Amino acid sequence: MAGSTFGTIFKITTWGESHGKALGVVVDGCPAGLPLCEEDIQRYLDRRKPGTSSITTPRKEDDLVEILSGVFEGRTTGTPISLVVRNTSQISRDYSEIASYYRPGHADYTFDAKYGFRDYRGGGRSSGRETIGRVAAGAIACKLLEQLGVSVHAYTRSIGPIQADLTHFDAEAILSTRTAMPDRAADEKAVAYLEQARENSDSVGGCMECLVTGVPAGIGDPVFEKLDANLAKAIMSIGAVKAVEIGDGTSVSARYGSQNNDPFRVNDGIVTKSTNHAGGILGGISDGDTVLIRAHVKPTPSIYQPQQTINKTGEEIDIQIKGRHDPIIVPRAVVVMECMTALTVLDAILLNMSARLDNIVSFYRK
Amino acid sequence: MAGSTFGTIFKITTWGESHGKALGVVVDGCPAGLPLCEEDIQRYLDRRKPGTSSITTPRKEDDLVEILSGVFEGRTTGTPISLVVRNTSQISRDYSEIASYYRPGHADYTFDAKYGFRDYRGGGRSSGRETIGRVAAGAIACKLLEQLGVSVHAYTRSIGPIQADLTHFDAEAILSTRTAMPDRAADEKAVAYLEQARENSDSVGGCMECLVTGVPAGIGDPVFEKLDANLAKAIMSIGAVKAVEIGDGTSVSARYGSQNNDPFRVNDGIVTKSTNHAGGILGGISDGDTVLIRAHVKPTPSIYQPQQTINKTGEEIDIQIKGRHDPIIVPRAVVVMECMTALTVLDAILLNMSARLDNIVSFYRK
Amino acid sequence: MAGSTFGTIFKITTWGESHGKALGVVVDGCPAGLPLCEEDIQRYLDRRKPGTSSITTPRKEDDLVEILSGVFEGRTTGTPISLVVRNTSQISRDYSEIASYYRPGHADYTFDAKYGFRDYRGGGRSSGRETIGRVAAGAIACKLLEQLGVSVHAYTRSIGPIQADLTHFDAEAILSTRTAMPDRAADEKAVAYLEQARENSDSVGGCMECLVTGVPAGIGDPVFEKLDANLAKAIMSIGAVKAVEIGDGTSVSARYGSQNNDPFRVNDGIVTKSTNHAGGILGGISDGDTVLIRAHVKPTPSIYQPQQTINKTGEEIDIQIKGRHDPIIVPRAVVVMECMTALTVLDAILLNMSARLDNIVSFYRK
Amino acid sequence: MAGSTFGTIFKITTWGESHGKALGVVVDGCPAGLPLCEEDIQRYLDRRKPGTSSITTPRKEDDLVEILSGVFEGRTTGTPISLVVRNTSQISRDYSEIASYYRPGHADYTFDAKYGFRDYRGGGRSSGRETIGRVAAGAIACKLLEQLGVSVHAYTRSIGPIQADLTHFDAEAILSTRTAMPDRAADEKAVAYLEQARENSDSVGGCMECLVTGVPAGIGDPVFEKLDANLAKAIMSIGAVKAVEIGDGTSVSARYGSQNNDPFRVNDGIVTKSTNHAGGILGGISDGDTVLIRAHVKPTPSIYQPQQTINKTGEEIDIQIKGRHDPIIVPRAVVVMECMTALTVLDAILLNMSARLDNIVSFYRK
């Protein structure tokens, strides 16, 4: 069934395969009047590009975005914004081997089980390139959120056992290190760790985190459209994510209530909390504090060590994967997390406008 | 906006407040022909009832369900099934104190921020009683899944620091212990731990887990309607859940790919995996293995210790909560997790029927 | 699949069969703060009740509504409003005959074809009593629209060949005549016509019309969520409606453009049109003028003349329907049309709040 | 809000403006395994192209479709199919005049009222070129329906006062006449009528009809997702349609029940009806008979006669529209009606697969 649409008011529909002609997204429901150009989107796409360093794949992917509709005289018109990225560097090569078996940790087998066959070139629709549409759409959401005073920032929190030190948060390092960690010392250690894994023909997992500041209190809808529930869906839908936490997340299960409750305080007439274990969400609704989401990402399933698997005819075989693959997914996924978070928060913000009769009356009777 | 509906084909809409006249759910899209009676649903509702033990609230809640529509001559008709549970034991008491301030860890403040006011009696819509609708609907989903050979079972995995030993999994203990742990020794320790917390006027967090067996390979839809993404939303939407894991969850982030990949094998012509780190889902689609979800639940926010907070007029005050509250949420939430999981898996199974043209042709041209 | 939910933000889910225990609706997404009591809803339900006159069925149906949730201290809370009407007067009788064959013009055969069996008592879910949920929900929508200066009024335009004269529109007659015509002379003729039909053991079709005034310009969304498209769905979903027209409707197909275009004018600084052939909608978006919808309703399919049909075993038989049936559907359907129109317009009004960035910014940065 | 998505399982999202870079559609939820190439889609697009005759606009629009995703080795993969048509012949001209005022009968004013400004070039999103996405998607739906034995055919029924004679239905004439009438004699008269209108600088309305054969009994879902309700929405969403009829449509309102009921019969073991006043739908569910929908289309609002209107600053002015415009919309809209009908019927057919438990069990336990 149709699974490529996300959002209710700000609604995106992504499409495209790794080695097809192009990938893209249709953003429908974007409010009219937002200044928008291709550069606004390209900045975000560039963050998910494979780089030139040893820890990202040496593939060259220009991934230039083109706006095909929905923008007129530099502003969004309220009608669907179609964004397309042509696949230019996908080299024609021999896929007969990969077509014949199921790579462990990949979606090869499950796509075949579901659809009867699959586009096996580069992973087809289950490739990380699928996120181009998410990022292109998320760039627009981020730009719109800025107008409302809402900022969304994701970063790498850990790579394998190497944790970023968040007490000396270096925001500038996120965009300039190879790991997207907000900590240059940890970045260096992580790079060394990744080099070692690469030498062992292995890959590595990691953890990423996203902070949203400026979210007004009152965003999210009980009981199924809670802000945290929709964030969990958004982030878990990113390939390779296996766990999602809100605020203090898993650690709450070993706590006492007296440790976990956040006392409400008032600061200059503004409601605050003296701690934020809750991650900015209470009862599924934002409380005005920073929203914090954490995601755990499995190691890249494509490794160069010999592996056991089966082929399409059901025989058990040994394989050795070739090609170019990042030893870690996280640094390039950070912008995807940022974008999925932005899309979720924005949609909830737009939906909240009709929560109270007095607001509706003053909107229409102004 | 409308947030009380869940599912696409098997669609439920819950309603009701803790101390209103009644709570319930409309189950729309339930296939015709399922034998169904009130006892099928009551069995599940009874599992979320507060018991008589010291670790659950002493409130008496009969929570008797009535089927108002959608069942004729003992079978579902394909039309909406309306289920209602009258509130009978909600004692009329003085709520003026609770109405005047915001309890830490509760949704009092966020509901006021969103809607301008709230039904403060017993937490209103944000009460744990809201889950009556989820469980009543989930009972039907579970019964239908049984017909397809799919079983869903949840249990308590840990309470505070006390872990159940899953190597000697005692399925029978889940329904008979006070903690819903599949391990009687751990149950005893956990009960002692909870008694201690109660004496300290404190509450405790915990972790619960759900296993789904018999899910055919191929269930779930890329890229946003992935099975794990929808499970994450379903489980995170349960009040007090702060983290959701699939398969090995958070632990994947510290692993190498060579440790995390599950080799495919063939067993009697059936595709299997020699390990199941993935938790039965690859690329968002079921792989035929057991689906495993884990959820971390915060301690009950209602504790009897003095706490700091603010009142509605924005003054910082000290409060001491009264009333009857469980010192832990998990044992009664286990059945809610089971039901939300069943609802999610069933809906994905129904949606999958139209994934392949050959199946559609043979369905209609039989 | 789930077909009993209507609307996106203001979302209703109806349930119930003609002779089940009860019928009702859950209204989810109703903005918080609307004063609401049972009498507000009962007024609308009473308009669809069978009366005491010769042209409506002599069945006694009290149809008393009860609010079970979502209203606190006399105002809506923003959470789901559950409304229920108990079936009290459905007499237990012998349905074995009606269970055995398919009544012409009814949904007996199609329900069996779809679901394999059906609740045959009084038509089950396909009975006109299904509209109780629509009307109960629509009453709330109407009350909310009033706060925005929007009024919705439906009436009978024709019964068989008898047309109401709209040039002397008698609004008061709509609620007081037996036919719901805004013309007492036509009402008298129509009643005589209906008596004649009843004597011939026959039934009669008719036409109803709905006017919506005060709709701001800009409501409705291109290209599939056009206001007229959603109105067409809403009205065509009412049982027995076979045609829907907007503005001048069918007559436009025989016109020249020079006759059909409505010139824009300005009146006291307000944009108007000198004619309203368009029925207040251009390009699927309201233009500020009166929205006009017309619906054509087939004659009641239950007639007392002998008819040909088949039974469940596929034999051709002759039948003669018994029981109590209105000879016309229209007068009792007028309030249903009014309610479905109100639900559609209100949902579009709420969705429109996020159409423009400047409005969103001023909403959140106020 | 997002209004460019249609369908639940077979879900399409269209995008594009008349004079933007391109127009297109994403088809999500198309079952895997359907043979598909660009020629399959181009055939349908060519039917909506302006021709070379005097009654269609002399604009040259090649409208060549490109498939960008979702098809692999000649078959659909189950993932989103992105279709794009580049705008190549949209001449850069001076739009300052059209930008300054509101054309009667067009959506200029309502778009401005909603969004604050509009893409005024060629009507922007409200142009008839918007239907390119509908037709491209509908071509796929039609191809899939063929595999199920379902055929969809639309044609022009009348142009102004000229009615096609359907008693000698000439199916071949639909694709070869300039009017898409199934009657060559009527076509000739209609062309003469159109020439006359063109000489008078006027335009003309018309009526189109669509027949769907082979629909199994049981398609459509009570009470809001009725097949006729969704068809009404689908067809009313086509620009310029002002009325939709099912079966005998408006004429039922002047009938007796004894005239309108269709007796059920059995023919070679197949359930039939001796008449089809109902248009193949009873209670919103298909009865196995031919589904018939009729739509009334207003005259092209762009006429060359002087007209009154207002400009953006609110002044009343006289205008005279220039440019190239068809004097009638219907002949080019026939394929759009066919496609919207196919999309609606196909989606309902896919949704129906989960209506009965026994079918689900045999699907998964085969």
Side-chain angles (χ1 to χ4, degrees):
Chain A
M1 88 115 189
S4 296
T5 295
F6 186 82
T8 298
I9 288 191
F10 195 94
K11 183 179 285 187
I12 73 166
T13 302
T14 73
W15 54 270
E17 285 85 34
S18 175
H19 283 53
K21 285 192 173 178
L23 300 106
V25 63
V26 181
V27 179
D28 195 15
C30 181
L34 179 73
L36 190 74
C37 64
E38 278 145 0
E39 175 52 27
D40 293 323
I41 298 159
Q42 195 63 49
R43 282 195 305 127
Y44 280 78
L45 286 176
D46 289 350
R47 287 174 57 197
R48 67 163 295 291
K49 272 207 303 193
T52 53
S53 82
S54 56
I55 66 156
T56 57
T57 160
R59 274 171 296 162
K60 187 171 168 345
E61 302 180 14
D62 279 312
D63 292 347
L64 293 177
V65 70
E66 188 181 13
I67 300 175
L68 295 181
S69 69
V71 177
F72 181 60
E73 297 181 341
R75 287 185 300 156
T76 58
T77 58
T79 59
I81 304 167
S82 179
L83 304 173
V84 67
V85 170
R86 286 270 166 183
N87 272 326
T88 52
S89 63
Q90 270 53 41
I91 302 149
S92 187
R93 42 168 284 215
D94 181 12
Y95 286 100
S96 56
E97 192 182 312
I98 207 173
S100 72
Y101 61 68
Y102 299 128
R103 292 170 297 165
H106 277 285
D108 301 343
Y109 170 66
T110 54
F111 267 66
D112 264 19
K114 183 174 197 75
Y115 297 117
F117 77 117
R118 71 185 192 280
D119 180 347
Y120 43 73
R121 299 166 305 164
R125 182 71 176 148
S126 70
S127 161
R129 284 187 67 71
E130 164 262 313
T131 60
I132 284 177
R134 301 177 187 238
V135 172
I140 302 176
C142 286
K143 186 157 193 200
L144 203 154
L145 284 172
E146 275 169 34
Q147 308 263 335
L148 304 175
V150 179
S151 296
V152 188
H153 291 293
Y155 51 85
T156 301
R157 189 189 160 101
S158 68
I159 286 181
I162 318 294
Q163 301 277 335
D165 177 2
L166 303 181
T167 55
H168 305 287
F169 197 92
D170 181 353
E172 199 263 330
I174 298 169
L175 293 179
S176 54
T177 61
R178 287 163 293 181
T179 59
M181 278 175 151
D183 171 355
R184 291 179 189 280
D187 169 64
E188 275 183 42
K189 278 186 245 169
V191 168
Y193 181 79
L194 285 161
E195 298 285 4
Q196 189 64 44
R198 176 187 287 280
E199 276 172 38
N200 297 338
S201 301
D202 216 335
S203 65
V204 171
C207 174
M208 53 192 182
E209 211 161 75
C210 188
L211 304 176
V212 195
T213 56
V215 182
I219 306 304
D221 291 280
V223 297
F224 297 120
E225 302 301 326
K226 286 174 171 164
L227 184 57
D228 42 4
N230 278 319
L231 285 168
K233 175 173 180 168
I235 304 307
M236 193 69 93
S237 80
I238 303 172
V241 171
K242 299 301 286 184
V244 177
E245 305 179 74
I246 302 293
D248 287 358
T250 58
S251 55
V252 304
S253 56
R255 268 196 201 141
Y256 290 113
S258 57
Q259 299 168 311
N260 195 60
N261 282 350
D262 300 308
F264 285 107
R265 301 283 83 188
V266 172
N267 204 334
D268 272 341
I270 306 290
V271 174
T272 62
K273 292 160 19 225
S274 50
T275 52
N276 188 18
H277 302 302
I281 302 177
L282 285 168
I285 303 174
S286 63
D287 63 15
D289 214 330
T290 298
V291 173
L292 187 150
I293 316 113
R294 200 174 303 109
H296 295 263
V297 182
K298 73 178 183 181
T300 317
S302 288
I303 56 173
Y304 301 116
Q305 297 178 17
Q307 294 185 90
Q308 295 182 319
T309 194
I310 60 170
N311 62 20
K312 283 183 68 173
T313 56
E315 293 165 316
E316 301 191 337
I317 58 171
D318 290 335
I319 62 162
Q320 198 155 1
I321 291 174
K322 300 180 194 70
R324 303 154 301 175
H325 304 284
D326 291 343
I328 184 157
I329 290 162
V330 171
R332 295 177 62 194
V334 157
V335 67
V336 183
M337 185 184 198
E338 201 168 298
C339 285
M340 290 306 299
T341 300
L343 290 163
T344 306
V345 171
L346 174 57
D347 199 39
I349 283 176
L350 299 179
L351 283 164
N352 181 59
M353 292 176 73
S354 54
R356 293 165 65 159
L357 179 60
D358 51 1
N359 287 335
I360 302 165
V361 170
S362 59
F363 185 95
Y364 279 109
R365 296 226 138 165
K366 66 198 167 195
Chain B
M1 88 118 187
S4 296
T5 296
F6 185 82
T8 298
I9 289 192
F10 195 96
K11 182 179 286 188
I12 73 167
T13 302
T14 72
W15 54 270
E17 285 85 33
S18 175
H19 283 51
K21 284 192 173 178
L23 300 107
V25 64
V26 181
V27 179
D28 195 15
C30 181
L34 180 72
L36 190 73
C37 65
E38 278 145 359
E39 174 53 26
D40 293 322
I41 297 159
Q42 195 63 49
R43 281 194 304 128
Y44 281 77
L45 285 176
D46 288 350
R47 287 173 59 196
R48 67 163 296 290
K49 273 206 304 193
T52 53
S53 83
S54 56
I55 65 157
T56 56
T57 160
R59 274 171 296 164
K60 188 173 166 345
E61 302 181 14
D62 279 311
D63 292 347
L64 293 177
V65 71
E66 188 182 13
I67 300 176
L68 295 181
S69 68
V71 176
F72 181 59
E73 297 181 340
R75 287 185 299 156
T76 58
T77 59
T79 60
I81 304 166
S82 179
L83 304 174
V84 67
V85 170
R86 287 268 166 183
N87 272 327
T88 53
S89 62
Q90 270 54 41
I91 303 149
S92 187
R93 41 169 284 214
D94 180 13
Y95 287 100
S96 56
E97 190 182 313
I98 207 172
S100 71
Y101 62 69
Y102 299 127
R103 292 169 296 165
H106 278 285
D108 302 342
Y109 170 66
T110 54
F111 267 65
D112 263 18
K114 184 174 196 75
Y115 297 117
F117 77 118
R118 70 186 193 280
D119 180 347
Y120 43 73
R121 299 166 304 163
R125 182 72 177 150
S126 71
S127 161
R129 283 187 68 72
E130 163 263 312
T131 60
I132 284 177
R134 302 179 187 237
V135 171
I140 302 176
C142 287
K143 186 158 193 200
L144 202 154
L145 284 172
E146 275 170 34
Q147 308 263 334
L148 304 174
V150 179
S151 295
V152 187
H153 291 294
Y155 50 84
T156 301
R157 190 189 158 102
S158 68
I159 286 180
I162 318 293
Q163 301 278 332
D165 177 2
L166 303 180
T167 56
H168 304 287
F169 197 93
D170 181 354
E172 199 263 329
I174 298 169
L175 293 180
S176 54
T177 61
R178 287 163 293 182
T179 58
M181 278 176 152
D183 171 354
R184 291 180 188 279
D187 169 64
E188 275 182 41
K189 276 186 248 169
V191 169
Y193 181 79
L194 285 162
E195 298 285 3
Q196 189 64 45
R198 177 186 286 279
E199 276 172 37
N200 297 338
S201 301
D202 217 333
S203 65
V204 171
C207 173
M208 53 192 181
E209 210 161 77
C210 188
L211 304 176
V212 195
T213 56
V215 182
I219 305 304
D221 290 281
V223 296
F224 297 119
E225 301 301 327
K226 287 174 171 166
L227 184 55
D228 41 4
N230 277 318
L231 285 169
K233 174 172 179 168
I235 303 306
M236 194 69 94
S237 80
I238 303 171
V241 171
K242 299 301 286 185
V244 177
E245 306 179 74
I246 302 293
D248 286 358
T250 58
S251 55
V252 304
S253 57
R255 270 197 202 140
Y256 290 113
S258 58
Q259 298 168 312
N260 195 59
N261 282 350
D262 301 308
F264 285 106
R265 300 284 82 187
V266 172
N267 203 336
D268 272 341
I270 306 290
V271 173
T272 63
K273 294 162 13 227
S274 49
T275 52
N276 188 18
H277 302 303
I281 302 177
L282 286 169
I285 303 174
S286 63
D287 64 15
D289 215 329
T290 298
V291 173
L292 188 151
I293 315 112
R294 199 175 303 108
H296 296 263
V297 182
K298 73 178 184 182
T300 317
S302 287
I303 56 173
Y304 302 116
Q305 296 179 17
Q307 294 185 89
Q308 294 183 318
T309 193
I310 59 169
N311 62 20
K312 283 183 68 172
T313 55
E315 294 165 315
E316 303 191 337
I317 58 171
D318 290 333
I319 62 162
Q320 197 156 359
I321 290 174
K322 300 181 193 69
R324 302 153 301 173
H325 305 283
D326 291 343
I328 184 155
I329 290 163
V330 172
R332 295 177 62 194
V334 157
V335 67
V336 182
M337 185 184 199
E338 201 168 298
C339 285
M340 290 307 299
T341 301
L343 289 163
T344 307
V345 170
L346 174 57
D347 199 40
I349 282 177
L350 298 180
L351 284 164
N352 180 60
M353 292 178 74
S354 54
R356 294 165 65 159
L357 179 61
D358 52 0
N359 287 336
I360 302 166
V361 170
S362 59
F363 185 95
Y364 279 108
R365 296 225 138 165
K366 65 197 166 196
Chain C
M1 89 116 188
S4 296
T5 296
F6 185 81
T8 297
I9 289 191
F10 195 95
K11 183 180 284 188
I12 73 166
T13 302
T14 73
W15 54 271
E17 284 84 34
S18 175
H19 283 53
K21 283 191 173 179
L23 300 107
V25 65
V26 181
V27 179
D28 196 14
C30 180
L34 180 71
L36 190 72
C37 64
E38 278 145 359
E39 174 53 26
D40 293 323
I41 298 158
Q42 196 64 50
R43 281 196 303 129
Y44 281 78
L45 286 175
D46 289 350
R47 287 174 58 197
R48 67 163 294 291
K49 273 206 302 195
T52 51
S53 82
S54 56
I55 66 157
T56 57
T57 160
R59 276 172 293 166
K60 188 175 168 341
E61 302 180 14
D62 279 312
D63 293 347
L64 293 177
V65 71
E66 189 183 12
I67 300 176
L68 294 182
S69 69
V71 176
F72 182 60
E73 298 181 341
R75 288 184 300 156
T76 59
T77 60
T79 59
I81 304 166
S82 179
L83 304 173
V84 66
V85 170
R86 288 268 166 182
N87 271 327
T88 51
S89 63
Q90 270 54 40
I91 302 148
S92 187
R93 42 168 285 212
D94 181 13
Y95 286 100
S96 56
E97 191 183 314
I98 207 172
S100 72
Y101 61 69
Y102 299 128
R103 292 170 296 166
H106 278 284
D108 301 342
Y109 170 65
T110 55
F111 267 66
D112 263 19
K114 183 173 198 75
Y115 297 117
F117 77 118
R118 72 184 191 280
D119 180 347
Y120 44 74
R121 299 166 304 164
R125 181 71 176 150
S126 70
S127 160
R129 283 188 67 71
E130 164 263 313
T131 59
I132 284 177
R134 303 178 186 236
V135 171
I140 302 176
C142 287
K143 186 158 191 200
L144 203 154
L145 285 172
E146 275 169 36
Q147 307 264 334
L148 304 175
V150 179
S151 296
V152 187
H153 292 293
Y155 51 85
T156 301
R157 190 188 159 102
S158 67
I159 287 180
I162 318 294
Q163 302 277 334
D165 177 2
L166 303 180
T167 54
H168 305 288
F169 197 92
D170 180 353
E172 200 264 329
I174 298 169
L175 294 179
S176 55
T177 60
R178 286 163 293 182
T179 58
M181 280 175 151
D183 171 355
R184 291 178 189 280
D187 168 66
E188 273 182 43
K189 277 186 245 168
V191 168
Y193 181 79
L194 285 162
E195 298 285 4
Q196 187 65 42
R198 177 187 286 279
E199 274 172 39
N200 296 338
S201 301
D202 216 334
S203 64
V204 171
C207 173
M208 53 193 182
E209 210 162 76
C210 188
L211 303 176
V212 195
T213 56
V215 182
I219 305 304
D221 290 281
V223 300
F224 297 121
E225 302 301 327
K226 286 174 172 164
L227 184 56
D228 42 4
N230 277 318
L231 285 169
K233 174 172 179 167
I235 304 307
M236 193 70 94
S237 79
I238 304 171
V241 170
K242 300 300 286 183
V244 177
E245 305 179 73
I246 302 292
D248 287 359
T250 57
S251 55
V252 303
S253 57
R255 268 196 203 142
Y256 290 113
S258 57
Q259 299 169 312
N260 195 59
N261 283 349
D262 300 307
F264 285 107
R265 301 284 83 186
V266 172
N267 202 335
D268 271 340
I270 306 290
V271 173
T272 62
K273 299 169 1 237
S274 50
T275 52
N276 188 18
H277 303 303
I281 302 177
L282 285 168
I285 303 174
S286 63
D287 63 16
D289 214 329
T290 298
V291 173
L292 187 151
I293 316 113
R294 200 175 302 108
H296 296 263
V297 182
K298 73 178 185 183
T300 316
S302 287
I303 56 173
Y304 301 116
Q305 296 179 17
Q307 294 184 90
Q308 293 183 318
T309 192
I310 59 170
N311 63 21
K312 283 183 68 171
T313 55
E315 293 165 315
E316 302 191 337
I317 58 172
D318 290 335
I319 62 163
Q320 197 155 1
I321 290 175
K322 301 180 192 71
R324 304 153 300 175
H325 304 283
D326 290 343
I328 184 157
I329 291 164
V330 171
R332 294 178 62 194
V334 157
V335 68
V336 182
M337 185 184 199
E338 201 169 298
C339 285
M340 291 306 300
T341 300
L343 289 163
T344 306
V345 170
L346 174 57
D347 199 39
I349 282 177
L350 299 180
L351 284 164
N352 180 58
M353 293 177 72
S354 54
R356 294 166 65 161
L357 180 61
D358 52 0
N359 286 336
I360 303 166
V361 170
S362 60
F363 185 94
Y364 279 109
R365 298 225 137 167
K366 66 196 165 195
Chain D
M1 86 119 190
S4 296
T5 296
F6 185 82
T8 297
I9 289 192
F10 195 95
K11 183 179 284 188
I12 73 166
T13 302
T14 73
W15 55 270
E17 285 84 35
S18 175
H19 283 52
K21 284 192 174 179
L23 299 107
V25 65
V26 181
V27 179
D28 195 14
C30 181
L34 180 73
L36 190 73
C37 65
E38 278 145 359
E39 174 53 25
D40 292 324
I41 298 158
Q42 196 62 51
R43 280 195 305 129
Y44 280 78
L45 286 175
D46 289 350
R47 287 174 58 197
R48 68 163 295 291
K49 273 207 301 196
T52 52
S53 83
S54 57
I55 66 158
T56 57
T57 160
R59 276 172 294 164
K60 189 175 166 338
E61 303 181 13
D62 279 312
D63 292 347
L64 293 177
V65 71
E66 188 182 12
I67 300 177
L68 295 181
S69 70
V71 177
F72 181 60
E73 298 182 340
R75 287 184 300 155
T76 58
T77 59
T79 59
I81 304 166
S82 179
L83 304 173
V84 66
V85 170
R86 287 268 166 184
N87 272 328
T88 52
S89 62
Q90 270 54 41
I91 303 149
S92 188
R93 41 169 284 215
D94 180 12
Y95 286 101
S96 56
E97 190 182 314
I98 207 172
S100 72
Y101 61 68
Y102 300 128
R103 293 170 295 165
H106 278 284
D108 301 342
Y109 170 66
T110 55
F111 267 65
D112 264 18
K114 183 174 198 74
Y115 297 117
F117 77 119
R118 71 186 192 280
D119 180 348
Y120 44 73
R121 301 165 303 163
R125 181 71 177 150
S126 71
S127 160
R129 282 188 68 71
E130 164 264 311
T131 60
I132 284 177
R134 302 178 187 236
V135 171
I140 302 176
C142 286
K143 186 159 192 200
L144 203 154
L145 284 172
E146 275 170 33
Q147 307 264 334
L148 303 175
V150 179
S151 296
V152 187
H153 291 294
Y155 50 85
T156 301
R157 189 189 159 103
S158 68
I159 286 180
I162 318 293
Q163 302 276 333
D165 176 2
L166 303 180
T167 55
H168 304 287
F169 197 92
D170 181 353
E172 200 263 329
I174 298 169
L175 294 180
S176 54
T177 60
R178 287 164 294 183
T179 58
M181 278 176 152
D183 171 354
R184 292 180 188 280
D187 168 65
E188 274 182 42
K189 278 185 245 169
V191 169
Y193 181 78
L194 286 161
E195 298 285 4
Q196 188 64 43
R198 175 186 286 281
E199 276 172 38
N200 296 338
S201 302
D202 216 332
S203 65
V204 171
C207 173
M208 54 192 182
E209 209 161 77
C210 187
L211 305 175
V212 195
T213 56
V215 182
I219 305 304
D221 290 280
V223 297
F224 297 120
E225 302 301 327
K226 286 174 172 165
L227 183 56
D228 41 4
N230 277 319
L231 285 168
K233 175 172 179 168
I235 303 308
M236 193 70 92
S237 81
I238 304 171
V241 171
K242 300 301 285 185
V244 177
E245 304 179 74
I246 302 293
D248 287 358
T250 57
S251 55
V252 302
S253 56
R255 269 197 202 141
Y256 291 113
S258 57
Q259 298 168 313
N260 194 59
N261 282 350
D262 300 306
F264 285 106
R265 301 283 82 187
V266 172
N267 203 335
D268 273 339
I270 306 290
V271 173
T272 62
K273 292 159 21 224
S274 49
T275 52
N276 187 19
H277 303 302
I281 302 177
L282 285 169
I285 303 175
S286 63
D287 64 14
D289 214 330
T290 298
V291 173
L292 187 152
I293 316 113
R294 200 174 304 109
H296 295 263
V297 182
K298 73 178 183 183
T300 316
S302 288
I303 56 173
Y304 302 116
Q305 296 179 18
Q307 295 184 89
Q308 295 183 318
T309 192
I310 59 170
N311 63 18
K312 282 182 70 171
T313 54
E315 294 164 314
E316 303 192 337
I317 58 172
D318 290 334
I319 61 163
Q320 197 155 2
I321 290 175
K322 300 180 194 70
R324 303 153 302 175
H325 304 283
D326 291 343
I328 185 157
I329 290 163
V330 172
R332 294 178 63 193
V334 157
V335 69
V336 182
M337 185 185 198
E338 201 169 298
C339 285
M340 290 307 299
T341 300
L343 289 163
T344 306
V345 170
L346 174 56
D347 200 39
I349 283 177
L350 298 179
L351 284 164
N352 180 58
M353 292 177 74
S354 54
R356 292 166 65 160
L357 180 60
D358 52 359
N359 287 336
I360 302 166
V361 171
S362 60
F363 185 96
Y364 279 109
R365 297 225 136 165
K366 65 196 165 195

